[in-house]
Amino acid sequence: DSSSAPAKSEVQGEKKPAEEDDKDDKAAQSLLNKLIRSNLVSNTNQVEVLQKDPNSPLYSVKSFEELRLKPQLLNGVYGMGFNRPSKIQETALPMMLAEPPQNLIAQSQSGTGKTAAFVLAMLSHVEPNNKYPQCLCVSPTYELALQTGKVIEQMGKQYEEVKLVYAIRGNKLPRGTKLHEQIVIGTPGTMLDWCSKFKFIDPKKIKVFVLDEADVMIATQGHQDQSIRIQRMLPDNCQMLLFSATFEETVWNFAQRIVPEPNIIKLKREEETLDTIKQYYVLCNSREEKFQALCNIYGAITIAQAMVFCHTRKTAGWLAGELSREGHQVALLSGEMQVEQRAAVIDRFRNGKEKVLVTTNVCARGIDVEQVSVVINFDLPVDRDGNPDNETYLHRIGRTGRFGKRGLAINMVDSKSSMNILNRIQEHFSKNIEKLDTDDLDEIE
Ligand code: ADP
């Protein structure tokens, strides 16, 4: 490159700012979870409900029949293999389907049935004979919009009159187009253009507005403003629904600008605990020694499936290579892979095709592989500043109370500083991490 752009901006341009990373990360994680999830995440906590009008009765349903859905939709729901409403759906569905429509802000971790709930609400409110957009749904990315679109198509399979269109960049329509589809799903920028600049959609005719993944949404510059501008064009009687997996102050502030007079439903995440985990550490001097220790552990105990976490892609790649040379069936999960490829690797591992999954910290954040009983921290989890990442440590090896299968965690320590990290993790959780001698492994089983 012979151009003489200012050196400083070039240097800055090399590295993505932290927030950019964070945003990609959040959207990718969310997509990954959707791609690998085939079931509801179970949760034994109670939902918290805050009603707009605390005096009105609170309905909750235990069956889909009680909702008096159109037969096509009831069939659609059963066709997807749902037998009864999920925890959050028990209260969210009657609220969303009430007459007059109620506004809702709902928060629960991914996999608890939010998408299925608002898809059912949109499909129920559509008037199929009216051939114009009546429901808008905004998602943070193109890929996430497509995933929601798939759910609409599945659930509405027997409701053929209802059509769906994607308001996403790349879907270019001729000027003057008037949409005939009743449901429009897309990203905020394109959705806003379609409502205002191009007028493909008449916002005054919208009955339901859904904003999905609010926490991922606000991580992207501009999405917040675009969403609010869309919301401002909608009629007063339009039902506003907002969903989020987490609920920090910033998400909450945004939610209140999108949803006036909301009912609020929250479902706390199932607590993770280290109580049912045996934690050990192994002292080594180099990564070769760590690898040897790992081999010794494998030789000594029967390990059905293990996940091994490394700090960098390079270490993960090296370790996966060494392990396969030793004859292990290894799967490697790495940051340069597309989300779809990552999902495929996790799926194979889940189905037992490989026994060891080697991955980097970043890549595997937020993934649950429940049947894994052995977790090996080849490198300890640290945050950007090199401090112990306790949350990741807990999430990686912790078990939820209800599925408290016993687990084993082995931490590899190879320096003073990693010993220091280990000690701080130990202190944080007030749980002893025992030293393991890999030349004498009788104690472990
Ligand atoms: P979220 O939007 O909270 O991430 P989803 O609506 O995508 O959750 O649901 C997670 C998974 O559970 C999906 O595979 C979905 O098909 C399934 N699911 C949703 N609702 C039910 C239900 N009532 N019964 C059984 N499975 C369900």
Side-chain angles (χ1 to χ4, degrees), residues 277-402:
I277 309 293
K278 282 291 258 179
Q279 301 176 74
Y280 293 101
Y281 76 92
V282 183
L283 210 51
C284 306
N285 289 308
S286 62
R287 76 175 189 183
E288 283 70 24
E289 267 188 49
K290 291 203 281 188
F291 171 65
Q292 199 47 57
L294 188 57
C295 292
N296 291 353
I297 291 165
Y298 257 96
I301 62 172
T302 331
I303 297 179
Q305 275 196 312
M307 272 179 95
V308 186
F309 291 89
C310 302
H311 193 59
T312 63
R313 283 182 202 177
K314 210 171 141 211
T315 310
W318 169 81
L319 183 61
E322 294 295 304
L323 282 167
S324 27
R325 249 192 296 284
E326 288 285 314
H328 294 284
Q329 293 162 279
V330 187
L332 175 64
L333 202 61
S334 181
E336 66 265 15
M337 293 168 129
Q338 296 289 315
V339 173
E340 285 77 8
Q341 287 178 297
R342 289 190 226 174
V345 169
I346 294 170
D347 243 10
R348 285 177 56 86
F349 179 65
R350 268 201 173 153
N351 295 328
K353 300 225 169 61
E354 278 100 14
K355 307 294 177 214
V356 195
L357 179 67
V358 178
T359 176
T360 56
N361 290 327
V362 175
C363 214
R365 205 186 301 153
I367 297 173
D368 312 286
V369 186
E370 273 161 26
Q371 74 269 35
V372 176
S373 57
V374 181
V375 172
I376 294 164
N377 288 321
F378 199 79
D379 297 304
L380 293 169
V382 289
D383 64 18
R384 283 180 210 277
D385 305 322
N387 290 314
D389 185 348
N390 295 315
E391 202 185 320
T392 298
Y393 186 84
L394 175 66
H395 185 61
R396 188 177 291 173
I397 72 170
R399 302 290 140 116
T400 58
R402 196 155 146 232

Side-chain angles (χ1 to χ4, degrees), residues 124-271:
S124 298
H125 287 305
V126 159
E127 175 46 69
N129 295 324
N130 292 342
K131 308 292 180 196
Y132 53 78
Q134 301 156 43
C135 303
L136 302 185
C137 174
V138 288
S139 288
T141 66
Y142 165 67
E143 290 82 6
L144 288 166
L146 282 187
Q147 291 306 313
T148 305
K150 281 190 191 153
V151 180
I152 299 176
E153 264 156 25
Q154 258 182 307
M155 204 176 275
K157 205 149 130 202
Q158 315 207 15
Y159 201 5
E160 281 160 18
E161 310 94 289
V162 179
K163 301 279 187 239
L164 161 71
V165 61
Y166 292 96
I168 46 183
R169 222 182 337 182
N171 194 1
K172 299 242 183 300
L173 305 179
R175 277 196 180 263
T177 302
K178 289 281 176 250
L179 295 173
H180 298 292
E181 292 83 356
Q182 295 91 343
I183 301 179
V184 189
I185 169 158
T187 46
T190 307
M191 190 73 91
L192 178 62
D193 282 348
W194 284 23
C195 287
S196 61
K197 191 159 140 203
F198 299 124
K199 302 200 161 42
F200 298 149
I201 300 168
D202 178 358
K204 287 285 166 258
K205 291 184 173 159
I206 300 302
K207 299 201 283 188
V208 185
F209 178 59
V210 177
L211 191 143
D212 193 21
E213 313 231 21
D215 50 350
V216 182
M217 198 73 99
I218 62 169
T220 305
Q221 188 81 38
H223 274 175
Q224 221 175 123
D225 285 347
Q226 288 159 346
S227 303
I228 290 167
R229 284 175 61 198
I230 298 168
Q231 196 267 7
R232 296 284 180 268
M233 285 187 259
L234 305 173
D236 288 339
N237 62 358
C238 175
Q239 181 178 38
M240 312 280 175
L241 308 169
L242 179 140
F243 298 85
S244 187
T246 61
F247 233 132
E248 308 87 76
E249 188 72 20
T250 45
V251 179
W252 176 236
N253 291 338
F254 173 55
Q256 286 181 309
R257 296 184 68 188
I258 293 286
V259 186
E261 300 182 47
N263 293 290
I264 299 161
I265 299 181
K266 287 187 191 185
L267 179 62
K268 276 216 198 80
R269 230 193 135 87
E270 194 104 43
E271 297 270 337

Side-chain angles (χ1 to χ4, degrees), residues 34 37-41 64 80-86 89 108-117:
K34 279 184 204 283
R37 184 145 286 145
S38 50
N39 292 110
L40 277 170
V41 167
F64 286 110
M80 290 178 80
F82 302 177
N83 295 321
R84 65 189 70 79
S86 71
Q89 289 165 0
S108 63
Q109 82 194 80
S110 114
T112 47
K114 299 185 295 298
T115 307

